Every structure is written in structure tokens, then in C-alpha cells.
Amino acid sequence: MKLAIVGTGYVGLVTGTCFAEVGHRVICVDNDANKVKMLQAGGIPIYEPGLEELVKKNVASGRLSFTTSTAEGVQLSDVIFIAVPTPPQPDGSVDLSFIERVARDIAAAMTGYKIIVDKSTVPVKTGEKVTETIKRYCPAKVEFDVVSNPEFLREGFAVGDLMNPDRVVIGVRSKRPVAAMTEIYEPFKAPIVVTDINSAELIKHAANSFLALKISYINAISAICEAAGANVEEVAHGIGLDERIGKRFLNAGIGFGGSCFPKDLSAFIKISEQVGYEFRLLKEVQQINARQMDRFVKKITDTLWVLKDKKIGVLGLAFKQNTDDVRSSPAIDLCQRLIKEGATLRVHDPKGMDKAKALLKEGVTYVDDMNDVAQGCDALVVATEWEEFKQLDLDLARKNLSHPIMFDGRNLFDPATMEKLGWIYKSVGR
Ligand code: UGA
């Protein structure tokens, strides 16, 4: 198939590359000329495991190319995917101006039947608006179909998620685009859910909100475990074996962050309000997430008392492991709160330090080796669930700290072992 992807952010770039990998011919469009130049030269603007090799391989094979021209993308393709940002507005609703702009650009360039697929996370009924916009701004007045095809990949695991999806959702208004959409996804061998556009759009917000709810649920349980002397990991294991609940997304910690869950929750609450339903459950999910961070900061201040002039080592800045993304990162929020209390920080993240430098400046020393973070510090904090932090040289860290105190916001270490090693070790829900 001949495909265009407009927008080469996390979703667009990974989607385009994986489509090329399974044999489609893909042209990726981005209005950032520097980004396009970088991609054409074989570089990638984000860290995502396995992506760089795939981009290089598919550019070399001629199946993947990049341009700044939407018109070129439209002319060379049968199916055009929209994968541009849908950022939050101050009131929690979604800014759809990028989607509208791209819909107009596509419409202006159409000279024959095209399928326009929305991949960005959008409020229900956006497909209707995109359809109206294309009709209005297409001088050639050609036939077209709008499809909703939400993406479910996770950052840090994006290539694997895209190549092996749990399901593919295709929202359509008529049968006409179904064959082409099925052909595009056939190589991925996943169940395909064909539904109407509004339901497809809702599936994405409903899925992300449910996953956020699951995390807040286990975080609420973690508070009860702490008060009652139980272990949240045991509880998560015990409930997760029930297949109706499932084991995944039951890791208690300092709360969820990133560019999706916080934004999508606010958007879904707003959308529900607009259609006349007050989604109080999701408001509570947000509250639990905020309180989880408050509880963690309190643990630190209860132990260290005054933070002014204390030096704290922080492991982790990215919003989760395997990514350099620090947008709405709980780790960054935590650092900012510690700095506000007067602490100075020594921080390390395997991939997120460059991006964090724009957000954390005053009072922060960036340390290249995780084993040097503890030097001269009063305590260590784990803020991101990077696997490699489990390999921290604990003996060296103990020697480097003024006192062997660790606050583990991601439950990476075993409490009994840490205590045996002489640490004052505080984690979440155990
Ligand atoms: C999320 C969804 O998982 C994807 O399915 C969806 O496609 C994506 O949003 C999106 O809308 O684009 P992502 O934000 O990349 O993916 O990251 P997640 O792996 O979902 O993690 C989100 C946050 O929850 C992280 O801060 C992570 O540390 C936290 N988390 C996750 C927990 O605290 N506990 C868990 O058990 C799982």
C-alpha cells in the first residue's frame, strides 16, 4: 500500500517505520524541516529502543521517506494518516488546531479518492468535524473516507507494541475503506475491530482512562497497605492472577505521568461533561494520583525533616523506563518539589538527562554514572522504574551517602534485603 503519515512524533514515526517494515511504501510528513533533514540522514529525534535501526533499514530499502510537504505526501499515497499532537488546553479540553490544519492541507491537495485516517488521540465526534473540514476545503470536490484508527503503543516499547498489537481498531462510516485498512494491518496478524467512528474514538479515551484507573486503584491500595502493615506487591499478585483483573498495570509507585494519561483523563472528563455526564470516578483517579506524590514527599520530609541545605540523589527523570521523554514526568515533579523545599539535587537518568535540562536547572547537578549520584548526599531517591537501577552498587552508595537512606518510589529493591544491608529503606505500600 502507498501510505502517508502526517506528523513524525512518537506515534507517527513509529507507525510509519513499522508500516514500511512490513512492506508498505511510506512517506512521512513533518513541518519541522530540521527534523526531516535529520531523519533523511538516518538520525532520529527521540530515543525508542529498536527504532533507529528500523528507520535506517527502511530508508535504505527505499520504502520509507520523509518530506516537509503534505501535498507531496497526499499525491503519492492512497491512505493518509494524521498523527499530529492534540495537546491539552488550560481547561483540560483538547486543542484540535493541528488536526484541523492538517485536514485542510490534505483537502487542498486531494485530486482523487483518498482515505484519511486519524491516529491521534481525539475527542469523540472529531471524525465528523474532519469530514466536514475536508469537504469544505477540497477544491477538487473528490470522494474520500475518514477513518478513526487509534494507536495503543506505549513509549519505550513502541516498536514491539506496534508490530504485535493486542488489537487494531478501525472506525468507519461506510464499508468502502475497510478493505484497504484491513490490507494495511494484515501483516500484523492482530484481531481487527471494525466499528463506527464515534465508538473507535471513545475506545482510545476509555482504554487510557481505565489503565490510569488501574494504577490509581493499586496506589490507593498501597496507602492502605502502609497503614495496615500489608505488602502491596503481594496484594497485586493475589488479585492479578484473577484473569478478570489481570496482572499488568498494578505496579504501585509515585503515580502515572507522561504525555498521555494525565492529558487524556482531563480530556475525557471534559468530553463527558460536554455530553452531560459528570465522570466523578475519573476525577478521583486524578486525585489519588496527586495524593500519591504528596504521600511520597511526606515520607521524605518525615525522615529527613528539614530539606533546606540537604543534598538528595535522584535516580530517574523520565516519566517511565526505556524512554527519554520527561513530559509530565512524576520524577521531574518530585525533583521540583524537593528543590522548592530547599534541597539541592544530584540526578541521573540513562536517557532523559538532555531533555530534563530544560526543566530542571537551579540547584541540580547532572551525573553521568548512576553509581556517582550518592556522593555527598543525605539520601537517595528512586523516581523512575529503569531496570538498570536494580544493578546500583549498593555498597558504594552506602559509603557515598552521609546516612544510608533510600526512598524508593518504584519499589525496585527488596525491603528485607535492604534492611539487612543496613539501609533505612522506604518504598511504596510495603
Ligand atoms: C499509554 C498507554 O499505555 C498506551 O496504550 C497508549 O497508546 C499511550 O498511553 C498513548 O495514549 O499514546 P505511555 O504513556 O507511553 O502509554 O506509558 P505507560 O506505559 O502506559 O505508562 C504511563 C505511566 O504510568 C508512567 O508514568 C508509568 O510509570 C506509570 N505506571 C504504569 C505505573 O505507575 N504503574 C504501572 O503499573 C504502569
Short mmCIF file of all heavy atoms in Angstrom, two decimals, residues 17-38:
data_model
loop_
_atom_site.label_atom_id
_atom_site.label_comp_id
_atom_site.label_asym_id
_atom_site.label_seq_id
_atom_site.Cartn_x
_atom_site.Cartn_y
_atom_site.Cartn_z
N THR A 17 7.38 3.80 10.34
CA THR A 17 8.52 2.89 10.20
C THR A 17 8.04 1.43 10.21
O THR A 17 8.51 0.62 9.41
CB THR A 17 9.51 3.13 11.36
OG1 THR A 17 9.83 4.52 11.39
CG2 THR A 17 10.77 2.32 11.18
N CYS A 18 7.12 1.10 11.09
CA CYS A 18 6.65 -0.29 11.17
C CYS A 18 5.82 -0.65 9.93
O CYS A 18 5.89 -1.78 9.44
CB CYS A 18 5.87 -0.54 12.46
SG CYS A 18 6.93 -0.48 13.91
N PHE A 19 5.05 0.29 9.40
CA PHE A 19 4.33 0.04 8.15
C PHE A 19 5.33 -0.27 7.02
O PHE A 19 5.11 -1.16 6.21
CB PHE A 19 3.47 1.24 7.76
CG PHE A 19 2.16 1.36 8.52
CD1 PHE A 19 1.46 2.57 8.53
CD2 PHE A 19 1.61 0.28 9.19
CE1 PHE A 19 0.25 2.70 9.21
CE2 PHE A 19 0.40 0.39 9.87
CZ PHE A 19 -0.28 1.60 9.88
N ALA A 20 6.43 0.50 6.98
CA ALA A 20 7.45 0.26 5.94
C ALA A 20 8.09 -1.12 6.16
O ALA A 20 8.33 -1.86 5.21
CB ALA A 20 8.50 1.36 5.99
N GLU A 21 8.32 -1.44 7.43
CA GLU A 21 8.97 -2.71 7.77
C GLU A 21 8.17 -3.92 7.26
O GLU A 21 8.75 -4.93 6.87
CB GLU A 21 9.16 -2.78 9.30
CG GLU A 21 9.73 -4.08 9.86
CD GLU A 21 11.18 -4.34 9.46
OE1 GLU A 21 11.83 -3.44 8.94
OE2 GLU A 21 11.62 -5.50 9.65
N VAL A 22 6.84 -3.80 7.27
CA VAL A 22 6.03 -4.95 6.80
C VAL A 22 5.76 -4.87 5.29
O VAL A 22 4.99 -5.66 4.76
CB VAL A 22 4.70 -5.11 7.58
CG1 VAL A 22 4.97 -5.36 9.05
CG2 VAL A 22 3.78 -3.90 7.39
N GLY A 23 6.38 -3.90 4.62
CA GLY A 23 6.33 -3.91 3.15
C GLY A 23 5.55 -2.79 2.48
O GLY A 23 5.53 -2.71 1.25
N HIS A 24 4.91 -1.91 3.26
CA HIS A 24 4.21 -0.80 2.63
C HIS A 24 5.21 0.29 2.23
O HIS A 24 6.33 0.33 2.76
CB HIS A 24 3.17 -0.19 3.59
CG HIS A 24 2.13 -1.19 4.05
ND1 HIS A 24 1.39 -1.94 3.17
CD2 HIS A 24 1.74 -1.58 5.30
CE1 HIS A 24 0.57 -2.74 3.86
NE2 HIS A 24 0.77 -2.54 5.15
N ARG A 25 4.78 1.15 1.30
CA ARG A 25 5.65 2.26 0.92
C ARG A 25 5.14 3.50 1.65
O ARG A 25 3.98 3.89 1.49
CB ARG A 25 5.60 2.45 -0.61
CG ARG A 25 6.89 2.96 -1.19
CD ARG A 25 6.66 4.19 -2.05
NE ARG A 25 5.75 5.12 -1.39
CZ ARG A 25 4.89 5.89 -2.05
NH1 ARG A 25 4.78 5.81 -3.32
NH2 ARG A 25 4.09 6.73 -1.38
N VAL A 26 6.00 4.08 2.47
CA VAL A 26 5.53 5.10 3.41
C VAL A 26 6.28 6.41 3.22
O VAL A 26 7.52 6.43 3.16
CB VAL A 26 5.74 4.63 4.87
CG1 VAL A 26 5.21 5.68 5.85
CG2 VAL A 26 5.06 3.28 5.12
N ILE A 27 5.52 7.51 3.15
CA ILE A 27 6.15 8.82 3.15
C ILE A 27 5.69 9.56 4.41
O ILE A 27 4.49 9.70 4.66
CB ILE A 27 5.86 9.59 1.83
CG1 ILE A 27 6.52 10.98 1.86
CG2 ILE A 27 4.38 9.70 1.51
CD1 ILE A 27 6.67 11.60 0.47
N CYS A 28 6.65 9.96 5.24
CA CYS A 28 6.32 10.65 6.49
C CYS A 28 6.48 12.15 6.29
O CYS A 28 7.49 12.61 5.76
CB CYS A 28 7.27 10.21 7.61
SG CYS A 28 6.97 8.54 8.18
N VAL A 29 5.48 12.90 6.76
CA VAL A 29 5.48 14.35 6.56
C VAL A 29 5.63 15.04 7.91
O VAL A 29 4.97 14.66 8.88
CB VAL A 29 4.12 14.79 5.93
CG1 VAL A 29 4.12 16.29 5.67
CG2 VAL A 29 3.81 13.99 4.67
N ASP A 30 6.50 16.05 7.95
CA ASP A 30 6.57 16.87 9.17
C ASP A 30 6.90 18.29 8.76
O ASP A 30 7.71 18.51 7.84
CB ASP A 30 7.63 16.32 10.13
CG ASP A 30 7.35 16.74 11.56
OD1 ASP A 30 7.51 17.95 11.87
OD2 ASP A 30 6.94 15.89 12.36
N ASN A 31 6.29 19.27 9.45
CA ASN A 31 6.56 20.66 9.05
C ASN A 31 7.86 21.19 9.65
O ASN A 31 8.27 22.31 9.37
CB ASN A 31 5.37 21.58 9.38
CG ASN A 31 5.04 21.58 10.86
OD1 ASN A 31 5.77 21.00 11.66
ND2 ASN A 31 3.94 22.21 11.22
N ASP A 32 8.53 20.37 10.48
CA ASP A 32 9.81 20.77 11.06
C ASP A 32 10.93 20.31 10.11
O ASP A 32 11.31 19.14 10.07
CB ASP A 32 9.93 20.10 12.44
CG ASP A 32 11.24 20.47 13.16
OD1 ASP A 32 12.19 20.90 12.48
OD2 ASP A 32 11.28 20.32 14.40
N ALA A 33 11.46 21.30 9.36
CA ALA A 33 12.45 20.97 8.31
C ALA A 33 13.72 20.33 8.91
O ALA A 33 14.31 19.43 8.30
CB ALA A 33 12.82 22.22 7.53
N ASN A 34 14.10 20.78 10.10
CA ASN A 34 15.32 20.22 10.73
C ASN A 34 15.13 18.74 11.06
O ASN A 34 16.02 17.91 10.87
CB ASN A 34 15.67 20.96 12.02
CG ASN A 34 16.21 22.34 11.71
OD1 ASN A 34 16.80 22.55 10.63
ND2 ASN A 34 15.99 23.27 12.62
N LYS A 35 13.93 18.43 11.57
CA LYS A 35 13.61 17.04 11.92
C LYS A 35 13.66 16.17 10.66
O LYS A 35 14.23 15.08 10.66
CB LYS A 35 12.21 17.00 12.52
CG LYS A 35 11.97 15.87 13.49
CD LYS A 35 10.48 15.77 13.74
CE LYS A 35 10.14 15.75 15.20
NZ LYS A 35 8.71 15.50 15.42
N VAL A 36 13.06 16.67 9.58
CA VAL A 36 13.01 15.91 8.33
C VAL A 36 14.43 15.67 7.80
O VAL A 36 14.78 14.56 7.38
CB VAL A 36 12.12 16.64 7.28
CG1 VAL A 36 12.28 16.03 5.89
CG2 VAL A 36 10.66 16.57 7.72
N LYS A 37 15.26 16.71 7.89
CA LYS A 37 16.65 16.58 7.43
C LYS A 37 17.38 15.51 8.25
O LYS A 37 18.08 14.66 7.72
CB LYS A 37 17.37 17.94 7.62
CG LYS A 37 18.25 18.30 6.42
CD LYS A 37 18.96 19.59 6.66
CE LYS A 37 18.30 20.75 5.90
NZ LYS A 37 18.78 22.05 6.33
N MET A 38 17.17 15.56 9.55
CA MET A 38 17.81 14.60 10.45
C MET A 38 17.37 13.16 10.10
O MET A 38 18.19 12.24 10.00
CB MET A 38 17.39 14.93 11.89
CG MET A 38 17.96 14.04 12.95
SD MET A 38 17.11 14.43 14.49
CE MET A 38 18.38 14.13 15.66
#
